[in-house]
Structures are given as C-alpha cells and as structure tokens.
Amino acid sequence: DVQLVESGGGSVQAGGSLRLSCAASGYSGTAYCMGWFRQAPGKEREGVASIIFGSGQTFYADSVKGRFTVSQDSAKNTVNLELVNLKTEDTAVYYCAASRPGIISVCQPPYITRLGLEGQGTQVTVS
C-alpha cells in the first residue's frame, strides 16, 4: 500500500518560516502530481500548492502565492513545501496529496483534494 508521510509542521510566530516534507512509500513508479492542501478548523479543505513531477510545473493558490514554494525530489517521490512570511490565517492542518500510480490527474490546487492519495496531516500553527 502507498503511504504518504508528512513532517515538519510546528508553531511559529507571524512572519516566521517552516518547511514541510512528504515522502511516498510503497509507490510503484513516479507520481504524476503531488501537492499540499490544508484545512483550518471549521473551514473546507483548500488546495495550496502542487507540482507536476515530469515537467516541474508548479501551481499555487492566490492566498499563498509569493510566500510558499513547492519543490520535488521525483527520484524519491518526495514533495516539499517552504512556507515563509507566515500569517495567522495560515494556521491549519496541512496534508500531502499524490496522484495514484499510473494516473494523470488535474494538478491545479483546486483539485489537489481529489488526487486520490493523502497523508495524515501535520499541524501548522501561526500566532
């Protein structure tokens, strides 16, 4: 079975930075798309950032553009998210998502929650 394991969450003050990582284990081949979505208390899931591994093309939600950077290590089916200039409204549980093996998925942030594979999430708290 494929497992996505996130790491790197934590608590920071507004204006601070964090780096999240997600590694896919048990994955056959290379993922087409990996990305991140988040969910704050009482709110719907929100796609944040994503990357197409083959081309390296990245996509961002308007709310994080210029502050978050998504990157890949396709050889390891790993995706990272660099968060800088964090705001209190960035507080949420951040989830890693990946397309299923052999599946070419729509990779833009609004569709990240539908990729089919997701991790358990890591908490990011900005105060």
Side-chain angles (χ1 to χ4, degrees), residues 11-17 67 84-91 125-127:
S11 298
V12 297
Q13 293 188 335
S17 303
R67 299 187 299 119
V84 302
N85 192 21
L86 282 161
K87 304 177 180 180
T88 55
E89 51 264 42
D90 294 319
T91 295
T125 302
V126 186
S127 59

Side-chain angles (χ1 to χ4, degrees), residues 14-37:
S17 303
L18 283 172
R19 179 180 172 90
L20 308 182
S21 291
C22 171
S25 63
Y27 200 101
S28 178
T30 301
Y32 173 76
C33 171
M34 290 187 75
W36 296 86
F37 65 90

Side-chain angles (χ1 to χ4, degrees), residues 60-80:
Y60 297 95
D62 287 343
S63 58
V64 305
K65 204 169 292 184
R67 299 187 299 119
F68 290 9
T69 303
V70 62
S71 61
Q72 67 181 23
D73 183 341
S74 56
K76 300 179 181 178
N77 277 328
T78 298
V79 63
N80 305 303

